Amino acid sequence: MQNFDFYNPTRIVFGKGKVAELDKLVPANARVLVLIGGQSARHNGTLDEALSALGERYVELFEGIEPNPRYETLVKAVAQVKKGKLDFLLAIGGGSVIDGTKFVAAAACQDNDAWEILLTRGSDVKEAVPYGTILTLPATGSEMNDGSVITREEEKAKLHFSSEHVFPRFSILDPTKSYTLPKRQLANGVVDAFTHTVEQYLTYPVGAMVQDRFAEGLLSTLVEIGPKLLQNPRDYELQANFMWSASLALNGLIGAGVPQDWATHMIGHEITALYGLDHAQTLAVILPNMLSVRRDSKREKLLQYAERIWNIESGTEEERIEAAIRKTREFFESLGMKTRLSEYQIGADAIAGLINKLESHHMVTLGEHRDVDLQVSRKVLEASI
Ligand code: NZQ
Ligand code: ZN
């Protein structure tokens, strides 16, 4: 096992009816900015519930954080925080609202150009406005981590930053809040959580038995509940297991002490920035092809994955690996996800532009061995058409 430093200060308040605990969780004298996305938090009643739990506190609202949250929108929230001398943020939504809130929390504490936060990947963040979240879409793990992904529309750039100053103080995980998710978002969430786990698990063995078994527990749970969730989005136990799996998939726990990949995500971000696919739509296309192209360097873990997740125990090594990759693709397709770029009308002529973007964002040595250079990324993209 590799050395590690695991730190996660986010309080998780889990269960039905837990939004009412906001009154205990938010300081009594806080001046609060509530941040939401489009209209889902309003439509499903979560916004009203939160406002009523905040009671007599001074509260302002910022609405309109879009999926793949934009810098151009978020700087308006930063100005609102500064103008109103607001000192606590409350995000209600999915990964986009929470990621956006992380950016606002950091940017509101500094005077220089806020885009620098992304260009320095968060290393210059020294403080942030404290904030909590109410999660309405299990997927990204943003509710329990220190990462954020922000898009600058005018540059078609989707970049990430992380800083220990932007962990949420608390996150309320009420599984009934995701009852209203459409099938597309449920499927996205399952694929995102699955891929987060794979990015940290399916690399090379370092003898991290606990991390491996945790990761396999998450993958098997997602395989078991994913299709059922699409049929029964109002099943509490399914939603509860989904929500907690997604948080655990990217809260640092399974990634501690093991090598990590993330090449699928980095290529996926460029596809979203240029073509507007949902985050998880890019993952469902790229992941199976990434595994296929890099099967030699991932051989041992691919065989372990084949056996423990898909019960594939017979055949040559090559056949078992092939079958595991096929099972992965079929699992995504069983959730209604497309697994080819051409199904989104993106053809081979898109590859050059995507490779240019990877290069300009310095994404030239990706993966657990830093050997995913532009040539490997090109191969993965060619296989993904
Ligand atoms: O905007 P509203 O009206 O709220 O609708 C949203 C949005 O249209 C809707 N939605 C959310 N909760 C709902 C609901 N609709 C009905 N009922 C509910 N309960 O779902 C749509 C998508 O929401 P979004 O927040 O964009 O989805 P997701 O949670 O998948 O977040 C995706 C973003 O997170 C980033 C992605 O790149 C992308 O920008 N990621 C963040 C990570 C992190 N911070 O650690 C890691 C991930 O790998 C990922 O990159
Ligand atoms: Zn993701």
Side-chain angles (χ1 to χ4, degrees):
M1 195 187 303
Q2 299 177 343
N3 293 354
F4 64 87
D5 176 340
F6 174 66
Y7 172 69
N8 193 316
T10 300
R11 177 190 300 274
I12 296 296
V13 181
F14 194 101
K16 194 174 176 171
K18 288 292 184 180
V19 172
E21 293 195 11
L22 269 180
D23 192 32
K24 279 197 293 193
L25 296 164
V26 177
N29 57 355
R31 293 171 61 80
V32 184
L33 181 66
V34 174
L35 300 100
I36 62 171
Q39 290 304 314
S40 75
R42 206 182 273 285
H43 284 157
N44 63 25
T46 313
L47 176 63
D48 279 348
E49 215 180 313
L51 292 176
S52 108
L54 287 170
E56 297 301 307
R57 289 173 185 79
Y58 178 78
V59 177
E60 291 186 19
L61 181 65
F62 184 85
E63 49 192 317
I65 299 181
E66 52 283 282
N68 307 307
R70 293 183 184 171
Y71 168 82
E72 290 86 347
T73 303
L74 298 167
V75 288
K76 295 179 193 156
V78 174
Q80 189 173 343
V81 171
K82 288 183 175 175
K83 182 162 182 257
K85 297 194 177 355
L86 307 176
D87 57 15
F88 201 94
L89 311 181
L90 178 66
I92 308 177
S96 293
V97 175
I98 300 174
D99 280 10
T101 300
K102 286 176 178 168
F103 174 80
V104 173
C109 290
Q110 59 182 50
D111 294 323
N112 48 352
D113 177 12
W115 189 242
E116 280 295 311
I117 295 173
L118 279 305
L119 294 179
T120 59
R121 302 276 187 261
S123 60
D124 66 344
V125 174
K126 301 288 179 270
E127 55 178 326
V129 179
Y131 74 97
T133 87
I134 300 173
L135 180 67
T136 66
L137 196 179
T140 64
S142 187
E143 67 279 4
M144 201 180 175
N145 70 33
D146 64 352
S148 164
V149 192
I150 305 297
T151 297
R152 189 157 185 171
E153 189 55 24
E154 57 175 352
E155 293 176 13
K156 295 274 178 220
K158 186 175 187 194
L159 302 181
H160 67 275
F161 81 95
S162 64
S163 162
E164 67 175 47
H165 300 290
V166 301
F167 275 107
R169 294 292 165 103
F170 64 81
S171 283
I172 297 177
L173 271 54
D174 176 345
T176 67
K177 296 297 166 206
S178 36
Y179 282 0
T180 52
L181 282 171
K183 277 198 168 71
R184 166 171 162 186
Q185 298 303 343
L186 284 169
N188 278 348
V190 173
V191 169
D192 198 19
F194 189 92
T195 307
H196 292 159
T197 311
V198 169
E199 298 267 31
Q200 299 162 89
Y201 161 75
L202 222 164
T203 57
Y204 57 90
V206 291
M209 296 167 68
V210 176
Q211 292 89 325
D212 276 7
R213 295 284 187 194
F214 273 152
E216 287 155 2
L218 295 174
L219 294 174
S220 298
T221 302
L222 291 165
V223 169
E224 184 177 334
I225 66 177
K228 293 183 194 161
L229 254 176
L230 296 194
Q231 299 311 316
N232 309 290
R234 289 178 177 268
D235 182 312
Y236 183 83
E237 293 306 331
L238 288 176
Q239 286 286 8
N241 282 292
F242 175 37
M243 206 172 240
W244 192 219
S245 300
S247 298
L248 288 169
L250 197 49
N251 72 350
L253 187 66
I254 63 167
V258 298
Q260 302 192 17
D261 184 341
W262 298 107
T264 294
H265 266 73
M266 294 309 124
I267 295 178
H269 288 170
E270 303 300 352
I271 298 173
T272 298
L274 283 184
Y275 296 99
L277 268 64
D278 294 348
H279 172 60
Q281 291 176 336
T282 71
L283 306 177
V285 170
I286 298 297
L287 182 67
N289 298 302
M290 181 69 75
L291 297 178
S292 183
V293 167
R294 293 166 62 204
R295 66 179 65 199
D296 289 338
S297 67
K298 290 180 179 289
R299 172 165 298 268
E300 284 171 274
K301 274 307 199 49
L302 272 168
L303 290 166
Q304 182 176 325
Y305 168 72
E307 182 185 335
R308 295 195 187 169
I309 305 303
W310 301 111
N311 305 313
I312 300 165
E313 290 173 0
S314 62
T316 64
E317 288 193 352
E318 200 49 41
E319 284 165 353
R320 280 180 273 154
I321 287 172
E322 195 58 43
I325 295 171
R326 191 178 61 245
K327 287 276 190 191
T328 309
R329 185 186 293 280
E330 286 169 1
F331 172 54
F332 292 166
E333 288 172 351
S334 77
L335 300 170
M337 304 292 293
K338 298 171 175 148
T339 56
R340 296 274 164 211
L341 285 175
S342 50
E343 295 176 82
Y344 294 102
Q345 281 69 53
I346 299 174
D349 53 337
I351 294 177
L354 289 164
I355 293 292
N356 280 343
K357 281 288 183 189
L358 283 168
E359 187 168 22
S360 72
H361 296 142
H362 312 293
M363 300 293 170
V364 294
T365 53
L366 302 173
E368 63 271 22
H369 296 296
R370 319 304 301 165
D371 61 351
V372 180
D373 56 15
L374 294 178
Q375 251 174 319
V376 177
S377 292
R378 182 186 295 279
K379 265 193 205 156
V380 173
L381 284 166
E382 283 168 357
S384 303
I385 299 298

